[in-house]
Amino acid sequence: MDYKQHIAKKLVVDGVSEAEIYSAIALPPNSDMGDYALPCFKFAKVLRKSPVAIAEELKNVYVCDETISEVSAVNGYLNFKVNKTGLAEATLKEVLDAGENYGSSETGKGKTICIDYSSVNIAKPFHIGHLSTTVIGGALYKIFGFLGYKVVGINHLGDYGTQFGKLICAYKRWGNRDDVQKGGIHAINDLYVRFNTEATPEMEAEAREYFRLIESGDKEANELFEWFKSLTLEYVKVIYEKLNITFDSYAGERFYTDKMQSVIDELREKNLLKSSEGAQIVDLEEYGMPPCLILRSDGASLYATRDLAAAEYRKKTYDFYKCLYVVAYQQNLHFKQFFKVLELMGKEWAKDLVHVAYGMVSLEDGAMSTRKGKVVWLEDVIARCEEKAYAVIDEKNHGLENKKEIAQTVGLGAVIFGALYNNKIKDITFSYDKVLSFEGETSVYVQYTCARANSVLLKSGVKEKPPKGYEPNAQEFEVIKSIAAFPETVKDAADKYEPSVIARYAVDLAQKYNKFYIDCKILTAEGETKDFRLALTRAALQTLKNALKLLGIGVPEKM
């Protein structure tokens, strides 16, 4: 049950919508004050009264029921206490009945969400800098799907540009087909790094010519390009499978080559295209932005040109409700420009495009550069995390079966959770010590809590049947409240495009369950108390599993 919605529906505040009241309701820092609180400060201007007076008036007209048992007004806050017995009974029934669907909804039924994420570059291996876009996008894909939306995951491949001319030039000079086929993506990357290290003006000109040959349809140049592309996709799909990442389209930049002209023609027809030093631009000065370049002086297209064509194609193909772009905040200006150009073109749906910005990853000694070969490969990070997980699990539980598979689940979880736990906009300085830490607010802690709860249930040997009319004690009620908040948490994460909301929720619920586990006897309890605590354990385990699954993280039964 959504208790916030129940409260919001019963409150009437002149000039304030139910949605605004709903969004203002929060959990108070001290549960002694109440289970939910409505700060009345934001209503003071509308009602021309003090927050204290508003809270007092609302308290006097609010009618308690079987859901909300008590209302109080304190210093401008309206505090609500829920009926503990009713909340416990309703929550446990809902979780145990719904199982792995607990927290899901039909909110997005009939609506399509496109998510452009990961978007790897052809011929370049995955490095740690690709982790954020990949796991943030992957989590949003799962979250929106869980809420009933039809989700289209798009990998907008970086498969267009002079770098492919450089690669062909390097391959022709130093490459060997058997060596590249065997070495795969890393062999290709070595050639690319060598070109950028040894390039002369003559080689740069040769690279530009090879790219021209790709564009003009030259058979040999395109066969090499397609070979490099197939090796790249073969490599990245292994990483995606490990990280539980799904894509429905691999249409990259090159896919839109024949779709750009219609956009350029429309810009001309609407008098939006202007010449500037030989280039074609859309002037955005009056909107406080530099011009958006559409064509270079030599007629070549740019990122904006291809993104405009891609947005048009996606709207026609998928008729999206929202189209998300999970791209680093360094591209903020690009997206503001490109969205504004679509708006100026009269595309009413431009408002449905969202740049989901995230922070950058750097090494402790500076930024990464694929050209210079200064990177941390993602597969190395995953492998080291899995090795570390195996060592820790072997030390703690040497006789545990399937240690290798469990270590893989735990190691991958640590990599994903490490990228999702903090607010997505934060920059990350990559350090193996941080990524490989198995202490504190980590997925390992949450997974271990799940293993602990599972162990309790296995030892009990009975099917959980929550009793009716049971009033939970303080520790039990904290766990119940947290479990009851999960559906609302999922919606909040979707509304904010912020998977960290779910990651932090999982840690919080795990902490509350562990406190309950330590303070309250479960297996040695008797009667209704034992029945309730076993049902509470099952509900907590199911909710934690559902939360981690939305982040792309698995849960081992034992650790």
Side-chain angles (χ1 to χ4, degrees), residues 483-541:
I483 293 170
F486 182 59
E488 178 191 324
T489 301
V490 178
K491 289 178 185 175
D492 189 37
D495 290 343
K496 294 175 178 174
Y497 310 113
E498 185 61 84
S500 69
V501 169
I502 293 175
R504 289 178 176 274
Y505 167 86
V507 169
D508 182 67
L509 174 54
Q511 289 171 339
K512 285 173 177 163
Y513 177 80
N514 282 319
K515 187 174 189 318
F516 152 74
Y517 175 87
I518 292 166
D519 292 348
C520 302
K521 295 176 180 178
I522 302 175
L523 293 174
T524 58
E526 296 179 351
E528 287 189 344
T529 301
K530 181 175 182 178
D531 290 343
F532 179 84
R533 290 176 180 175
L534 287 172
L536 182 60
T537 295
R538 170 67 68 191
L541 172 59

Side-chain angles (χ1 to χ4, degrees), residues 112-117 141 150-154 247-249 318:
T112 297
I113 299 267
C114 290
I115 308 179
D116 178 331
Y117 67 107
Y141 186 101
K150 178 183 177 183
V151 188
V152 180
I154 301 170
F247 290 102
D248 304 288
S249 167
Y318 306 113

Side-chain angles (χ1 to χ4, degrees), residues 25 49 51 92 171 178 196 204 233 258 267 292 298 301 363 380 421 425 510 525 530:
I25 297 170
K49 294 178 182 177
L92 292 181
Y171 174 74
D178 290 340
N196 283 288
E204 294 282 3
L233 291 179
D258 62 351
L267 286 168
C292 182
D298 62 0
S301 61
L363 296 174
D380 292 341
Y421 185 71
I425 205 65
K530 181 175 182 178

Side-chain angles (χ1 to χ4, degrees), residues 121-369:
N121 291 316
I122 295 302
K124 292 183 182 178
F126 250 122
H127 58 64
I128 193 66
H130 293 123
L131 179 62
S132 293
T133 175
T134 303
V135 298
I136 290 170
L140 292 175
Y141 186 101
K142 295 174 182 67
I143 290 165
F144 280 105
F146 200 57
L147 294 176
Y149 292 87
K150 178 183 177 183
V151 188
V152 180
I154 301 170
N155 198 319
H156 189 68
L157 297 173
D159 57 1
Y160 193 93
T162 54
Q163 67 267 35
F164 301 110
K166 293 178 181 180
L167 192 54
I168 292 175
C169 180
Y171 174 74
K172 287 278 198 175
R173 284 173 178 264
W174 309 302
N176 173 281
R177 189 170 186 93
D178 290 340
D179 290 343
V180 170
Q181 186 67 45
K182 185 179 177 182
I185 191 80
H186 290 289
I188 299 172
N189 185 67
D190 289 344
L191 289 171
Y192 181 71
V193 171
R194 183 173 179 182
F195 179 93
N196 283 288
T197 303
E198 302 181 19
T200 62
E202 178 189 353
M203 289 165 64
E204 294 282 3
E206 191 178 318
R208 285 192 294 274
E209 174 59 17
Y210 276 124
F211 179 58
R212 189 194 68 76
L213 288 172
I214 292 173
E215 286 191 298
S216 63
D218 178 78
K219 184 181 177 183
E220 183 192 19
N222 275 280
E223 282 178 352
L224 284 172
F225 172 80
E226 290 299 332
W227 178 43
F228 297 148
K229 181 176 179 177
S230 68
L231 290 174
T232 305
L233 291 179
E234 185 180 305
Y235 159 82
V236 298
K237 284 178 179 178
V238 172
I239 302 284
Y240 289 143
E241 189 175 339
K242 267 184 168 284
L243 295 173
N244 297 304
I245 297 297
T246 303
F247 290 102
D248 304 288
S249 167
Y250 281 88
E253 292 184 74
R254 199 172 182 214
F255 177 78
Y256 299 102
T257 304
D258 62 351
K259 298 169 181 61
M260 292 185 286
Q261 191 58 51
S262 62
V263 174
I264 295 165
D265 291 343
E266 186 175 347
L267 286 168
R268 281 206 179 94
E269 288 166 12
K270 293 180 175 176
N271 296 316
L272 291 170
L273 214 55
K274 297 182 179 179
S275 292
S276 176
E277 299 178 8
Q280 298 293 302
I281 66 162
V282 175
D283 188 358
L284 300 175
E285 185 179 358
E286 66 176 290
Y287 304 103
M289 289 182 272
C292 182
L293 273 77
I294 304 299
L295 294 171
R296 296 185 194 277
S297 56
D298 62 0
S301 61
L302 292 103
Y303 283 120
T305 330
R306 298 187 284 278
D307 276 346
L308 289 167
E312 287 266 26
Y313 175 83
R314 291 170 189 174
K315 184 61 181 177
K316 287 176 184 174
T317 305
Y318 306 113
D319 190 25
F320 54 72
Y321 167 71
K322 296 282 182 187
C323 183
L324 314 183
Y325 296 82
V326 186
V327 181
Y329 69 68
Q330 273 80 352
Q331 297 298 318
N332 281 355
L333 176 60
H334 166 76
F335 284 100
K336 285 179 183 176
Q337 289 178 311
F338 139 55
F339 294 171
K340 176 56 74 173
V341 171
L342 285 169
E343 183 186 320
L344 294 174
M345 291 172 74
K347 309 298 180 183
E348 177 273 333
W349 46 266
K351 65 178 177 16
D352 301 324
L353 306 180
V354 181
H355 176 206
V356 180
Y358 63 85
M360 293 294 286
V361 178
S362 62
L363 296 174
E364 289 177 298
D365 61 346
M368 291 183 287
S369 170

